[in-house]
Amino acid sequence: MFKKEQNLTEGSIPKTLILFALPFVIANFLQALYGACDLIIIGHFVGESAAISSVAIGAQIMHLVISFIIGLTTGTTVLIGQYYGADEMHEIQKVSGTVFIFFMLLSIVVFGLIYYFSPNLITLMQTPKEAYIGAIEYVKICSFGIVFIFLFNSFASILRGIGNSVAPMMFVGIGGISNIILDLILIGKFGLGVKGAAIATIMAQGICALSLMLYVRLNKFSFEFKFRKLKFYFDKIKNIIRLGLPLSLQDAMVQMSFIILLSLANQMGVAASAGYGTANRLNGFTMLPAFSFAMALTPIVAQNIGAKKRLRAKYTLYTAISYTFVFGFCCLIWQQVNPESAIRIFTSDAEVIKEGAHYLKSFSFDLIIVPFAFCLNAFFNGCGHTAFSMANNLVATLLIRVPLAFLITEIFGKTLFNLGVAAPVASFCSVVVALIYLKLGYWRKSAIS
């Protein structure tokens, strides 16, 4: 399974998909532990609703930043994947140098914005007063790790474009293990609470990113990473921005919608705020296979589109949907039968468990719809049609899910159960639009010059 580079346009479709997607699943699982272990250890060592709410709210803001970065760097994966499929290796070198220079400069700008404006965001979220100071402290400390998030995702996006999904997984694993150990030391042993969770996170991100950079520096690929050879090409950054910016804006706006919904949950009290935040952490795991297969699908489709193998790309889409639907269905049954057991993983607080379980009862139907939504949009991203994916997701999220959540809670009462109803409705609408776009065949036209 460990290949420095991999041609994804040949061989058995199910085998290629599973072997390439499996590292994404493992990497995303480990990455989810970055935030989850913070919440679990805070929940069991500190045990206060205010501390849980502080970390949940702060993590939601940082997830907004991470989503923005991943969306932008995915443009790199698509571009490199299509160049690799078309056997244009000289172009990959140009993209690699451009990506490193651009994203390092951008990381400084993003750090400044998050550090100085995080109190405003936390205020806008109507954060419970008990969690307000802790949430600001968490975000301000975590903002120092933004440069590491950019650094890791820059290299990971390049490697995934040339068919290497294993190396990013390995270094996420190093970071995840480091984060757990540091959490146990800083929170469990030294009692640093929310501050300890934030410090552990940025230290783990640094270990993860710098280790991956060293790996790329010491190994030979279709591109060469040497500081003296790095050059900036305006035509390449133009393509990266054209492909990545729609995904970045889409992911950022989707996460912003989650923040808006969190502000609605915050109005229901600190227990509801913690319950909503905990349930969303759980959903980060239950939706993980669909999200991971979708991430893997993008570079696979990109290479096949570059190689003019459109039918193979389409069959890979169908295979990814079928695999992830089965997992989503199993999780739906679990959360309908015993949602309390799922929330109990994160905390022993009875009120938080009760509130989180109410949310899962309605939201969990989304688990059998998102395999279609995630995979279809990832397919279009690999084809280079990122603008359509952005438009489809933003309409479903900002024009359907958010307004519907406010409408339902206003009419039927402000409860987490009512808040969760809007998610599956919005996802269903997104899938219908994506299937129509697939049927019309616009994805066959190249979106990369």
Side-chain angles (χ1 to χ4, degrees), residues 55-132:
V55 173
I57 291 168
Q60 189 70 64
I61 291 176
M62 291 310 301
H63 200 58
L64 167 67
V65 178
I66 293 170
S67 295
F68 172 82
I69 295 170
I70 290 175
L72 200 55
T73 55
T74 299
T76 305
T77 299
V78 175
L79 190 60
I80 285 183
Q82 293 204 11
Y83 282 143
Y84 194 87
D87 200 28
E88 297 180 15
M89 302 304 174
H90 59 286
E91 299 293 339
I92 294 176
Q93 181 65 48
K94 294 179 180 179
V95 174
S96 302
T98 302
V99 163
F100 179 80
I101 295 169
F102 178 71
F103 287 134
M104 287 303 95
L105 293 174
L106 186 59
S107 69
I108 299 170
V109 177
V110 175
F111 159 72
L113 291 172
I114 295 301
Y115 186 87
Y116 287 106
F117 291 104
S118 55
N120 304 80
L121 272 174
I122 290 167
T123 300
L124 285 173
M125 292 167 67
Q126 301 187 49
T127 301
K129 62 181 181 181
E130 302 95 326
Y132 183 77

Side-chain angles (χ1 to χ4, degrees), residues 11-55:
S12 163
I13 289 175
K15 182 179 178 180
T16 299
L17 176 63
I18 290 174
L19 289 180
F20 189 67
L22 186 59
F24 280 87
V25 175
I26 297 171
N28 284 324
F29 174 80
L30 294 171
Q31 195 127 33
L33 286 176
Y34 270 73
C37 71
D38 287 349
L39 209 57
I40 291 170
I41 294 171
I42 282 284
H44 288 285
F45 278 91
V46 180
E48 298 173 358
S49 295
I52 297 171
S53 181
S54 294
V55 173

Side-chain angles (χ1 to χ4, degrees), residues 222-366:
S222 298
F223 64 97
E224 191 175 17
F225 181 73
K226 294 185 183 301
F227 290 109
R228 67 178 183 276
K229 292 188 176 182
L230 296 178
K231 292 183 180 180
F232 188 88
Y233 294 86
F234 283 100
D235 61 323
K236 300 307 175 189
I237 203 60
K238 179 183 174 183
N239 267 328
I240 290 169
I241 291 174
R242 185 159 57 84
L243 291 167
L245 189 59
L247 296 176
S248 189
L249 291 175
Q250 164 199 307
D251 290 346
M253 289 300 101
V254 168
Q255 291 304 318
M256 185 61 75
S257 75
F258 291 158
I259 288 175
I260 294 170
L261 295 175
L262 177 56
S263 72
L264 188 57
N266 287 343
Q267 296 175 36
M268 302 174 196
V270 69
S273 172
Y276 177 82
T278 303
N280 277 332
R281 277 298 174 193
L282 174 71
N283 292 330
F285 290 97
T286 54
M287 291 188 173
L288 195 146
F291 178 69
S292 301
F293 269 72
M295 285 184 70
L297 192 60
T298 295
I300 293 175
V301 170
Q303 282 198 18
N304 280 281
I305 293 296
K308 311 296 183 186
K309 295 185 177 182
R310 295 182 178 87
L311 189 60
R312 178 182 172 88
K314 196 173 181 180
Y315 282 142
T316 307
L317 164 67
Y318 297 150
T319 305
I321 291 173
S322 63
Y323 289 159
T324 54
F325 177 83
V326 173
F327 183 84
F329 182 77
C330 294
C331 290
L332 168 64
I333 299 301
W334 172 37
Q335 293 185 16
Q336 285 298 308
V337 173
N338 192 0
E340 292 83 4
S341 66
I343 302 298
R344 201 172 285 116
I345 295 171
F346 295 87
T347 180
S348 56
D349 188 301
E351 280 300 310
V352 175
I353 292 170
K354 178 183 175 183
E355 293 288 350
H358 283 165
Y359 181 74
L360 292 180
K361 272 288 188 177
S362 57
F363 176 88
S364 57
F365 288 98
D366 204 33

Side-chain angles (χ1 to χ4, degrees), residues 1-8 16 19-24 27 77 80-81 84 92 152-172 212 215-216 219-223 295-296 299-300 303:
M1 185 171 66
F2 185 73
K3 297 179 181 178
K4 288 183 181 179
E5 299 183 11
Q6 185 178 358
N7 188 327
L8 303 170
T16 299
L19 289 180
F20 189 67
L22 186 59
F24 280 87
T77 299
I80 285 183
Y84 194 87
I92 294 176
F152 173 81
N153 282 285
S154 297
F155 286 115
S157 66
I158 295 168
L159 291 173
R160 287 162 178 162
I162 62 174
N164 186 335
S165 60
V166 177
M169 172 200 71
M170 291 172 60
F171 291 101
V172 166
L212 180 59
Y215 167 80
V216 172
N219 285 273
K220 189 175 181 181
F221 297 96
S222 298
F223 64 97
M295 285 184 70
I300 293 175
Q303 282 198 18

